Amino acid sequence: TKSITFHRAFDETKKEDLVKNIEILASLGFDRILSSGFESSAELGVVNLKKMVDHAKSFGVKIMPGAGINKSNLAKIIVETGCEEFHASARSESTSKVISKLSMGGGTEDLQPLLVCNPVKVKELIEIAKSVEFQN
């Protein structure tokens, strides 16, 4: 079966309506919600993400933290939220001379210099995620 994720538009809803909004998304068939916990980064939103995780379980929905996740904060985010998944761009400046006109969410800021997914950063994040001990 296919899995469907609702993107960070969730963070633009009212925080006090998070349970109702998770229920709505679950009823529409979403399996996962990508969120920064109503903050500019997942690290700043850990308290809200934890609340979301706790409520989403009863609707069969997973919460996927995203925004500003890196090797220095991933373990904290996993431990404090109880999330089993995460989203990270793991970007670095490209050494390529190729100029892209397609932004990956950072507006023109991510085009100059061109930022691309770095496999070394991805590997580091995967290793961190696999090493975290859940305290459930």
Side-chain angles (χ1 to χ4, degrees), residues 1 5 9 20 30 40 76 78 80-81 87 112 133 135:
T1 65
T5 303
K20 177 180 77 170
F30 287 95
S40 60
K76 172 188 174 183
I78 292 172
E80 292 187 19
T81 65
H87 169 74
Q112 299 184 12
E133 296 285 332
Q135 299 171 355

Side-chain angles (χ1 to χ4, degrees), residues 5-6 8 32-36 42 49 52-53 62-67 69 83-88:
T5 303
F6 190 81
R8 281 189 61 213
R32 178 182 303 99
I33 300 169
L34 174 61
S35 175
S36 60
L49 286 164
M52 292 170 66
V53 167
K62 290 186 176 188
I63 302 300
M64 178 188 288
I69 292 180
C83 288
E84 300 172 354
E85 304 175 358
F86 67 94
H87 169 74

Side-chain angles (χ1 to χ4, degrees), residues 28-74:
L28 292 171
F30 287 95
D31 303 290
R32 178 182 303 99
I33 300 169
L34 174 61
S35 175
S36 60
F38 302 95
E39 300 292 342
S40 60
S41 72
E43 184 175 19
L44 294 174
V46 291
V47 172
N48 294 324
L49 286 164
K50 176 63 176 154
K51 289 178 188 171
M52 292 170 66
V53 167
D54 293 342
H55 292 295
K57 283 179 186 175
S58 64
F59 298 110
V61 174
K62 290 186 176 188
I63 302 300
M64 178 188 288
I69 292 180
N70 57 56
K71 69 179 182 180
S72 67
N73 63 19
L74 177 58

Side-chain angles (χ1 to χ4, degrees), residues 8-127:
R8 281 189 61 213
F10 188 86
D11 295 327
E12 294 294 329
T13 65
K14 293 180 181 176
K15 188 178 355 180
E16 58 269 17
D17 293 337
L18 74 87
V19 175
K20 177 180 77 170
N21 291 333
I22 290 170
E23 182 179 15
I24 290 169
L25 292 176
S27 73
L28 292 171
F30 287 95
D31 303 290
R32 178 182 303 99
I33 300 169
L34 174 61
S35 175
S36 60
F38 302 95
E39 300 292 342
S40 60
S41 72
E43 184 175 19
L44 294 174
V46 291
V47 172
N48 294 324
L49 286 164
K50 176 63 176 154
K51 289 178 188 171
M52 292 170 66
V53 167
D54 293 342
H55 292 295
K57 283 179 186 175
S58 64
F59 298 110
V61 174
K62 290 186 176 188
I63 302 300
M64 178 188 288
I69 292 180
N70 57 56
K71 69 179 182 180
S72 67
N73 63 19
L74 177 58
K76 172 188 174 183
I77 292 167
I78 292 172
V79 168
E80 292 187 19
T81 65
C83 288
E84 300 172 354
E85 304 175 358
F86 67 94
H87 169 74
S89 60
R91 296 185 287 191
S92 292
E93 288 185 21
S94 172
T95 56
S96 170
K97 299 291 182 193
V98 176
I99 304 289
S100 176
K101 294 184 180 176
L102 178 63
S103 169
M104 293 296 160
T108 57
E109 294 87 37
D110 69 355
L111 297 176
Q112 299 184 12
L114 179 63
L115 299 176
V116 296
C117 187
N118 180 327
V120 173
K121 288 185 176 186
V122 172
K123 185 175 183 202
E124 289 173 339
L125 292 172
I126 291 169
E127 288 172 0

